[in-house]
Amino acid sequence: RDRLGEAKSSVSSAVAIAALIGRSEGENAGVGLLHGFLNRCCDDLFESYVAGGNYMRAEQAHLKEAFRQTLVPFARARTERQTSSRGNALLGIFSSVTGGTSAANSGNGTSAGGGSAGNNSGAAAAGASPTAEFEGTVTTTTARMLLQVHAEAIARGVELESDALVAECVASLTSILLSMLGDEYIFPALEDVLESLQDLRQEPDLRSFGVIRVANVAVRLVQMHFQRTIVPFVGASSYVYRDMVAEKNQLMSRAEMSLNLISNKLVGACAQWIQGILGKQRKGDFRPADDDYTAFEMGTQPCRQCADYLHRIERACRQSMGAENQERVLADVGNTLHRLLMEHLRKFVV
Protein backbone atom coordinates (compact mmCIF):
# COMPACT_ATOMS: atom_id res chain seq x y z
CA ARG A 1 0.00 0.00 0.00
CA ASP A 2 2.86 2.37 0.80
CA ARG A 3 4.42 1.68 -2.60
CA LEU A 4 1.11 2.26 -4.38
CA GLY A 5 0.66 5.53 -2.48
CA GLU A 6 4.10 6.66 -3.61
CA ALA A 7 3.27 5.64 -7.17
CA LYS A 8 0.03 7.62 -7.17
CA SER A 9 1.83 10.68 -5.81
CA SER A 10 4.58 10.37 -8.41
CA VAL A 11 2.10 9.98 -11.25
CA SER A 12 0.17 13.03 -10.05
CA SER A 13 3.38 15.05 -10.00
CA ALA A 14 4.31 13.81 -13.46
CA VAL A 15 0.93 14.75 -14.88
CA ALA A 16 1.19 18.25 -13.35
CA ILE A 17 4.71 18.75 -14.76
CA ALA A 18 3.65 17.48 -18.17
CA ALA A 19 0.70 19.86 -18.19
CA LEU A 20 2.95 22.83 -17.38
CA ILE A 21 5.49 21.88 -20.04
CA GLY A 22 2.71 21.16 -22.51
CA ARG A 23 1.43 24.70 -22.15
CA SER A 24 4.87 26.27 -22.50
CA GLU A 25 6.61 24.00 -25.03
CA GLY A 26 3.84 22.16 -26.81
CA GLU A 27 1.99 18.86 -26.37
CA ASN A 28 4.67 16.54 -27.80
CA ALA A 29 7.31 17.70 -25.33
CA GLY A 30 4.87 17.20 -22.43
CA VAL A 31 3.97 13.69 -23.51
CA GLY A 32 7.63 12.74 -23.96
CA LEU A 33 8.53 14.01 -20.52
CA LEU A 34 5.60 12.20 -18.95
CA HIS A 35 6.67 8.92 -20.58
CA GLY A 36 10.22 9.22 -19.31
CA PHE A 37 9.12 10.28 -15.86
CA LEU A 38 6.74 7.31 -15.53
CA ASN A 39 9.48 4.92 -16.61
CA ARG A 40 11.77 6.30 -13.91
CA CYS A 41 8.97 5.97 -11.35
CA CYS A 42 8.43 2.35 -12.34
CA ASP A 43 12.13 1.59 -12.03
CA ASP A 44 12.43 3.33 -8.68
CA LEU A 45 9.35 1.74 -7.17
CA PHE A 46 9.38 -1.82 -8.50
CA GLU A 47 12.89 -2.66 -9.66
CA SER A 48 13.81 -4.02 -6.24
CA TYR A 49 10.98 -6.54 -6.54
CA VAL A 50 11.95 -7.96 -9.92
CA ALA A 51 15.75 -7.62 -10.04
CA GLY A 52 18.23 -10.25 -8.94
CA GLY A 53 15.79 -13.17 -9.12
CA ASN A 54 13.45 -11.62 -6.56
CA TYR A 55 10.48 -11.81 -8.89
CA MET A 56 10.99 -15.48 -9.75
CA ARG A 57 11.27 -16.46 -6.11
CA ALA A 58 8.06 -14.61 -5.34
CA GLU A 59 6.26 -16.09 -8.36
CA GLN A 60 7.32 -19.62 -7.50
CA ALA A 61 6.15 -19.25 -3.92
CA HIS A 62 2.86 -17.78 -5.09
CA LEU A 63 2.34 -20.56 -7.64
CA LYS A 64 2.90 -23.31 -5.09
CA GLU A 65 0.48 -21.68 -2.67
CA ALA A 66 -2.12 -21.19 -5.40
CA PHE A 67 -1.84 -24.88 -6.34
CA ARG A 68 -2.23 -25.92 -2.70
CA GLN A 69 -5.33 -23.75 -2.33
CA THR A 70 -6.81 -25.29 -5.47
CA LEU A 71 -6.17 -28.79 -4.10
CA VAL A 72 -7.63 -28.07 -0.63
CA PRO A 73 -11.00 -29.79 -1.36
CA PHE A 74 -9.22 -32.88 -2.71
CA ALA A 75 -6.78 -33.03 0.22
CA ARG A 76 -9.58 -32.51 2.76
CA ALA A 77 -11.75 -35.23 1.25
CA ARG A 78 -8.80 -37.61 1.12
CA THR A 79 -7.91 -36.97 4.77
CA GLU A 80 -11.50 -37.51 5.88
CA ARG A 81 -11.67 -40.73 3.89
CA GLN A 82 -8.45 -42.08 5.38
CA THR A 83 -9.67 -41.46 8.93
CA SER A 84 -13.29 -42.60 8.54
CA SER A 85 -13.26 -45.24 5.80
CA ARG A 86 -10.30 -47.45 6.56
CA GLY A 87 -10.62 -50.81 4.87
CA ASN A 88 -13.08 -49.47 2.31
CA ALA A 89 -11.18 -46.70 0.58
CA LEU A 90 -13.14 -46.57 -2.67
CA LEU A 91 -16.49 -46.46 -0.89
CA GLY A 92 -15.11 -43.38 0.86
CA ILE A 93 -14.12 -41.82 -2.46
CA PHE A 94 -17.60 -42.09 -3.87
CA SER A 95 -19.84 -41.68 -0.83
CA SER A 96 -18.14 -39.54 1.82
CA VAL A 97 -17.49 -36.48 -0.33
CA THR A 98 -19.77 -33.81 -1.71
CA GLY A 99 -19.80 -31.70 -4.83
CA GLY A 100 -19.52 -34.43 -7.47
CA THR A 101 -19.76 -32.90 -10.93
CA SER A 102 -20.44 -34.28 -14.35
CA ALA A 103 -17.41 -34.88 -16.48
CA ALA A 104 -16.60 -32.23 -19.03
CA ASN A 105 -16.97 -33.17 -22.69
CA SER A 106 -18.22 -36.69 -21.95
CA GLY A 107 -21.37 -38.51 -22.90
CA ASN A 108 -24.33 -38.49 -20.57
CA GLY A 109 -23.90 -41.29 -18.04
CA THR A 110 -26.63 -43.83 -17.37
CA SER A 111 -27.30 -45.80 -14.25
CA ALA A 112 -25.41 -49.05 -13.99
CA GLY A 113 -28.75 -50.57 -12.89
CA GLY A 114 -29.62 -54.12 -12.15
CA GLY A 115 -29.42 -56.20 -9.01
CA SER A 116 -26.21 -57.68 -7.67
CA ALA A 117 -25.16 -60.32 -5.27
CA GLY A 118 -23.31 -59.01 -2.27
CA ASN A 119 -23.39 -55.97 -0.06
CA ASN A 120 -24.50 -52.36 -0.07
CA SER A 121 -21.47 -51.13 -1.98
CA GLY A 122 -22.83 -52.90 -5.04
CA ALA A 123 -26.13 -51.09 -4.63
CA ALA A 124 -24.31 -47.78 -4.32
CA ALA A 125 -22.36 -48.53 -7.48
CA ALA A 126 -25.56 -49.27 -9.35
CA GLY A 127 -26.99 -45.87 -8.54
CA ALA A 128 -24.37 -43.60 -10.09
CA SER A 129 -22.86 -43.15 -13.50
CA PRO A 130 -19.37 -44.58 -14.06
CA THR A 131 -18.54 -41.31 -15.82
CA ALA A 132 -19.40 -39.05 -12.86
CA GLU A 133 -16.60 -37.08 -11.21
CA PHE A 134 -16.11 -36.87 -7.45
CA GLU A 135 -14.30 -34.35 -5.31
CA GLY A 136 -12.25 -36.99 -3.51
CA THR A 137 -10.50 -38.14 -6.66
CA VAL A 138 -9.27 -36.77 -10.00
CA THR A 139 -11.65 -34.33 -11.73
CA THR A 140 -11.26 -32.43 -14.98
CA THR A 141 -12.50 -29.29 -13.22
CA THR A 142 -9.58 -29.26 -10.78
CA ALA A 143 -7.09 -30.18 -13.50
CA ARG A 144 -8.27 -27.25 -15.62
CA MET A 145 -8.02 -24.89 -12.64
CA LEU A 146 -4.41 -25.94 -12.01
CA LEU A 147 -3.52 -25.38 -15.65
CA GLN A 148 -5.25 -21.99 -15.63
CA VAL A 149 -3.30 -20.88 -12.55
CA HIS A 150 -0.09 -21.97 -14.28
CA ALA A 151 -0.98 -20.12 -17.49
CA GLU A 152 -1.54 -16.92 -15.52
CA ALA A 153 1.86 -17.32 -13.82
CA ILE A 154 3.53 -17.77 -17.22
CA ALA A 155 1.81 -14.63 -18.54
CA ARG A 156 3.22 -12.62 -15.63
CA GLY A 157 6.66 -14.13 -16.07
CA VAL A 158 6.80 -13.30 -19.77
CA GLU A 159 5.79 -9.72 -18.97
CA LEU A 160 8.14 -9.11 -16.07
CA GLU A 161 11.25 -11.14 -16.88
CA SER A 162 13.83 -10.03 -19.42
CA ASP A 163 13.66 -11.68 -22.83
CA ALA A 164 16.84 -13.63 -22.18
CA LEU A 165 15.34 -15.27 -19.08
CA VAL A 166 11.83 -16.03 -20.34
CA ALA A 167 12.57 -19.65 -21.33
CA GLU A 168 14.15 -20.46 -17.96
CA CYS A 169 11.29 -18.69 -16.18
CA VAL A 170 8.65 -20.74 -18.01
CA ALA A 171 10.63 -23.94 -17.44
CA SER A 172 10.90 -23.27 -13.72
CA LEU A 173 7.17 -22.64 -13.37
CA THR A 174 6.34 -25.70 -15.48
CA SER A 175 8.51 -27.95 -13.28
CA ILE A 176 6.41 -26.85 -10.30
CA LEU A 177 3.21 -27.64 -12.22
CA LEU A 178 4.31 -31.13 -13.26
CA SER A 179 5.64 -31.96 -9.81
CA MET A 180 2.56 -30.87 -7.86
CA LEU A 181 0.05 -32.11 -10.44
CA GLY A 182 1.59 -35.58 -10.27
CA ASP A 183 2.84 -35.99 -6.70
CA GLU A 184 0.08 -34.13 -4.89
CA TYR A 185 -2.93 -34.85 -7.06
CA ILE A 186 -3.05 -37.50 -9.79
CA PHE A 187 -0.87 -40.20 -8.27
CA PRO A 188 -2.26 -40.04 -4.71
CA ALA A 189 -5.78 -40.32 -6.19
CA LEU A 190 -4.80 -43.32 -8.32
CA GLU A 191 -3.08 -44.96 -5.34
CA ASP A 192 -6.35 -44.66 -3.41
CA VAL A 193 -8.23 -46.43 -6.19
CA LEU A 194 -5.62 -49.18 -6.35
CA GLU A 195 -5.74 -49.62 -2.58
CA SER A 196 -9.52 -49.96 -2.67
CA LEU A 197 -9.21 -52.94 -5.02
CA GLN A 198 -7.05 -54.90 -2.58
CA ASP A 199 -10.01 -56.10 -0.50
CA LEU A 200 -11.48 -58.90 -2.60
CA ARG A 201 -14.34 -59.39 -0.14
CA GLN A 202 -15.92 -56.18 -1.43
CA GLU A 203 -17.66 -55.93 -4.77
CA PRO A 204 -15.43 -53.84 -7.07
CA ASP A 205 -16.98 -50.44 -7.59
CA LEU A 206 -17.33 -50.02 -11.35
CA ARG A 207 -16.95 -46.26 -11.00
CA SER A 208 -13.24 -47.03 -10.91
CA PHE A 209 -13.51 -47.17 -14.70
CA GLY A 210 -14.62 -43.54 -14.53
CA VAL A 211 -11.52 -42.58 -12.54
CA ILE A 212 -9.40 -44.16 -15.29
CA ARG A 213 -11.23 -42.09 -17.90
CA VAL A 214 -10.92 -38.79 -16.00
CA ALA A 215 -7.22 -39.34 -15.27
CA ASN A 216 -6.70 -39.97 -18.99
CA VAL A 217 -8.49 -36.72 -19.80
CA ALA A 218 -6.35 -34.84 -17.26
CA VAL A 219 -3.15 -36.18 -18.83
CA ARG A 220 -4.35 -35.16 -22.30
CA LEU A 221 -5.12 -31.67 -20.98
CA VAL A 222 -1.53 -31.44 -19.73
CA GLN A 223 -0.29 -32.39 -23.21
CA MET A 224 -2.48 -29.73 -24.86
CA HIS A 225 -1.40 -27.13 -22.30
CA PHE A 226 2.25 -27.99 -22.96
CA GLN A 227 1.90 -27.52 -26.71
CA ARG A 228 -0.14 -24.32 -26.59
CA THR A 229 1.21 -22.48 -23.54
CA ILE A 230 4.74 -23.71 -22.86
CA VAL A 231 6.35 -24.66 -26.16
CA PRO A 232 6.04 -21.15 -27.68
CA PHE A 233 8.32 -19.79 -24.94
CA VAL A 234 10.84 -22.64 -24.56
CA GLY A 235 11.03 -23.92 -28.15
CA ALA A 236 13.81 -21.51 -29.11
CA SER A 237 16.09 -22.86 -26.36
CA SER A 238 16.96 -26.42 -27.35
CA TYR A 239 18.29 -27.60 -23.99
CA VAL A 240 15.38 -26.08 -22.03
CA TYR A 241 12.88 -27.58 -24.47
CA ARG A 242 14.56 -30.99 -24.25
CA ASP A 243 14.44 -31.00 -20.45
CA MET A 244 10.79 -29.89 -20.41
CA VAL A 245 9.74 -32.61 -22.87
CA ALA A 246 11.56 -35.24 -20.82
CA GLU A 247 9.89 -34.07 -17.59
CA LYS A 248 6.44 -33.98 -19.18
CA ASN A 249 6.89 -37.41 -20.78
CA GLN A 250 7.98 -38.85 -17.44
CA LEU A 251 4.71 -37.69 -15.87
CA MET A 252 2.65 -39.13 -18.73
CA SER A 253 4.51 -42.43 -18.72
CA ARG A 254 4.09 -42.82 -14.97
CA ALA A 255 0.38 -42.03 -15.25
CA GLU A 256 -0.03 -44.60 -18.03
CA MET A 257 1.66 -47.28 -15.94
CA SER A 258 -0.59 -46.49 -12.96
CA LEU A 259 -3.73 -46.61 -15.10
CA ASN A 260 -2.71 -49.94 -16.65
CA LEU A 261 -2.08 -51.36 -13.20
CA ILE A 262 -5.50 -50.19 -11.98
CA SER A 263 -7.16 -51.59 -15.09
CA ASN A 264 -5.55 -55.02 -14.61
CA LYS A 265 -6.34 -55.03 -10.91
CA LEU A 266 -9.95 -54.09 -11.61
CA VAL A 267 -10.34 -56.93 -14.11
CA GLY A 268 -8.92 -59.34 -11.53
CA ALA A 269 -11.26 -58.05 -8.82
CA CYS A 270 -14.27 -58.40 -11.14
CA ALA A 271 -13.24 -61.98 -11.95
CA GLN A 272 -12.93 -62.72 -8.24
CA TRP A 273 -16.44 -61.35 -7.65
CA ILE A 274 -17.86 -63.47 -10.49
CA GLN A 275 -16.19 -66.51 -8.98
CA GLY A 276 -17.91 -65.69 -5.69
CA ILE A 277 -21.28 -65.57 -7.44
CA LEU A 278 -20.62 -68.92 -9.11
CA GLY A 279 -19.74 -70.34 -5.69
CA LYS A 280 -23.41 -69.95 -4.72
CA GLN A 281 -24.50 -72.50 -7.32
CA ARG A 282 -26.47 -75.34 -5.73
CA LYS A 283 -25.74 -78.93 -6.65
CA GLY A 284 -29.27 -79.55 -7.88
CA ASP A 285 -29.53 -76.43 -10.04
CA PHE A 286 -28.76 -78.34 -13.27
CA ARG A 287 -31.05 -81.30 -12.42
CA PRO A 288 -34.55 -79.78 -12.33
CA ALA A 289 -37.65 -81.75 -11.49
CA ASP A 290 -39.66 -83.08 -14.42
CA ASP A 291 -42.29 -80.38 -13.99
CA ASP A 292 -39.84 -77.49 -13.54
CA TYR A 293 -38.61 -76.98 -17.11
CA THR A 294 -39.93 -73.40 -17.31
CA ALA A 295 -37.89 -72.24 -14.34
CA PHE A 296 -34.84 -74.06 -15.70
CA GLU A 297 -35.07 -72.27 -19.05
CA MET A 298 -34.94 -68.90 -17.27
CA GLY A 299 -31.51 -69.76 -15.92
CA THR A 300 -30.31 -70.30 -12.39
CA GLN A 301 -29.91 -67.44 -9.94
CA PRO A 302 -26.06 -67.38 -10.16
CA CYS A 303 -26.39 -67.33 -13.96
CA ARG A 304 -28.69 -64.32 -13.88
CA GLN A 305 -26.49 -62.51 -11.37
CA CYS A 306 -23.36 -63.13 -13.46
CA ALA A 307 -25.09 -61.93 -16.63
CA ASP A 308 -26.28 -58.77 -14.87
CA TYR A 309 -22.84 -58.07 -13.45
CA LEU A 310 -21.15 -58.64 -16.81
CA HIS A 311 -23.62 -56.25 -18.44
CA ARG A 312 -22.70 -53.56 -15.89
CA ILE A 313 -18.98 -54.16 -16.50
CA GLU A 314 -19.47 -53.84 -20.25
CA ARG A 315 -21.51 -50.64 -19.90
CA ALA A 316 -19.04 -49.00 -17.51
CA CYS A 317 -16.11 -49.96 -19.71
CA ARG A 318 -17.69 -48.56 -22.88
CA GLN A 319 -18.64 -45.32 -21.13
CA SER A 320 -15.17 -44.79 -19.70
CA MET A 321 -12.62 -46.07 -22.22
CA GLY A 322 -11.50 -45.60 -25.79
CA ALA A 323 -12.06 -48.33 -28.36
CA GLU A 324 -8.60 -49.90 -28.00
CA ASN A 325 -8.73 -50.07 -24.20
CA GLN A 326 -12.31 -51.34 -24.32
CA GLU A 327 -11.26 -54.23 -26.53
CA ARG A 328 -8.34 -55.15 -24.29
CA VAL A 329 -10.22 -54.97 -20.99
CA LEU A 330 -13.37 -56.72 -22.21
CA ALA A 331 -11.25 -59.44 -23.86
CA ASP A 332 -9.48 -60.00 -20.53
CA VAL A 333 -12.84 -60.25 -18.74
CA GLY A 334 -14.21 -62.59 -21.41
CA ASN A 335 -11.19 -64.91 -21.36
CA THR A 336 -11.27 -65.06 -17.57
CA LEU A 337 -15.02 -65.77 -17.59
CA HIS A 338 -14.53 -68.61 -20.08
CA ARG A 339 -11.92 -70.24 -17.85
CA LEU A 340 -14.09 -69.84 -14.73
CA LEU A 341 -17.13 -71.35 -16.45
CA MET A 342 -15.14 -74.35 -17.71
CA GLU A 343 -13.89 -75.04 -14.20
CA HIS A 344 -17.31 -74.36 -12.71
CA LEU A 345 -19.35 -76.70 -14.95
CA ARG A 346 -17.01 -79.62 -14.31
CA LYS A 347 -18.25 -79.64 -10.71
CA PHE A 348 -21.88 -80.36 -11.62
CA VAL A 349 -24.01 -82.99 -13.29
CA VAL A 350 -26.16 -81.43 -16.00
Side-chain angles (χ1 to χ4, degrees):
R1 285 195 297 269
D2 293 340
R3 287 287 184 177
L4 288 175
E6 294 176 18
K8 290 179 181 178
S9 177
S10 298
V11 169
S12 298
S13 300
V15 171
I17 294 172
L20 290 173
I21 296 178
R23 285 196 295 268
S24 61
E25 300 183 14
E27 283 297 321
N28 290 336
V31 171
L33 180 61
L34 176 61
H35 184 269
F37 194 82
L38 288 177
N39 282 337
R40 287 198 301 275
C41 287
C42 181
D43 292 341
D44 293 342
L45 292 172
F46 302 111
E47 184 67 20
S48 61
Y49 293 103
V50 298
N54 291 336
Y55 161 70
M56 273 309 300
R57 285 191 289 271
E59 187 65 73
Q60 289 171 350
H62 166 75
L63 185 61
K64 291 177 182 178
E65 182 60 26
F67 283 160
R68 291 191 183 98
Q69 291 299 319
T70 303
L71 294 176
V72 162
F74 166 76
R76 183 189 301 119
R78 191 166 185 255
T79 300
E80 292 174 356
R81 181 171 66 250
Q82 290 173 341
T83 56
S84 64
S85 303
R86 295 188 184 280
N88 197 355
L90 196 60
L91 180 61
I93 291 176
F94 297 132
S95 64
S96 68
V97 299
T98 59
T101 58
S102 296
N105 301 322
S106 67
N108 293 330
T110 57
S111 170
S116 64
N119 52 33
N120 292 333
S121 66
S129 166
T131 61
E133 295 185 10
F134 298 85
E135 193 174 75
T137 185
V138 181
T139 68
T140 55
T141 300
T142 301
R144 290 176 188 275
M145 290 173 63
L146 292 171
L147 297 179
Q148 178 63 31
V149 169
H150 179 254
E152 292 169 357
I154 287 181
R156 288 191 297 270
V158 171
E159 181 71 22
L160 295 175
E161 279 287 14
S162 64
D163 293 342
L165 297 177
V166 164
E168 294 180 6
C169 168
V170 172
S172 175
L173 298 175
T174 302
S175 292
I176 295 174
L177 168 71
L178 296 176
S179 175
M180 297 193 70
L181 183 68
D183 296 338
E184 298 191 24
Y185 187 47
I186 293 179
F187 298 128
L190 296 183
E191 288 170 5
D192 288 345
V193 176
L194 190 61
E195 181 184 354
S196 72
L197 297 174
Q198 302 298 324
D199 187 0
L200 298 180
R201 297 170 298 178
Q202 302 286 344
E203 177 181 351
D205 197 313
L206 300 183
R207 286 171 291 185
S208 299
F209 283 113
V211 177
I212 294 174
R213 180 193 62 80
V214 175
N216 262 320
V217 172
V219 171
R220 289 201 299 272
L221 287 174
V222 171
Q223 176 64 28
M224 293 171 57
H225 178 75
F226 185 84
Q227 292 295 333
R228 296 178 180 179
T229 308
I230 300 168
V231 170
F233 300 111
V234 302
S237 177
S238 59
Y239 73 92
V240 174
Y241 175 75
R242 182 188 64 240
D243 292 344
M244 283 292 93
V245 169
E247 196 169 347
K248 182 263 300 180
N249 287 347
Q250 184 178 13
L251 172 73
M252 300 183 71
S253 176
R254 185 180 169 191
E256 184 177 357
M257 291 176 60
S258 296
L259 293 174
N260 285 337
L261 184 60
I262 290 173
S263 176
N264 293 335
K265 191 69 177 179
L266 185 56
V267 169
C270 290
Q272 186 74 20
W273 190 253
I274 291 172
Q275 190 170 19
I277 295 175
L278 294 176
K280 298 178 181 180
Q281 193 88 61
R282 294 174 298 184
K283 289 187 177 181
D285 279 351
F286 299 122
R287 304 177 65 182
D290 292 341
D291 58 351
D292 197 23
Y293 288 120
T294 303
F296 183 63
E297 289 173 356
M298 294 175 60
T300 65
Q301 183 178 9
C303 172
R304 293 193 298 271
Q305 290 177 344
C306 281
D308 172 71
Y309 188 60
L310 289 165
H311 177 65
R312 288 163 51 200
I313 291 174
E314 188 266 350
R315 183 185 301 173
C317 187
R318 293 201 185 281
Q319 287 178 337
S320 303
M321 292 183 166
E324 185 176 343
N325 287 330
Q326 286 178 27
E327 182 177 356
R328 183 181 67 83
V329 170
L330 292 176
D332 287 345
V333 173
N335 289 332
T336 302
L337 174 67
H338 181 268
R339 176 179 56 80
L340 290 175
L341 287 177
M342 293 299 99
E343 296 174 357
H344 177 70
L345 292 174
R346 288 194 187 102
K347 302 174 185 177
F348 298 89
V349 176
V350 180

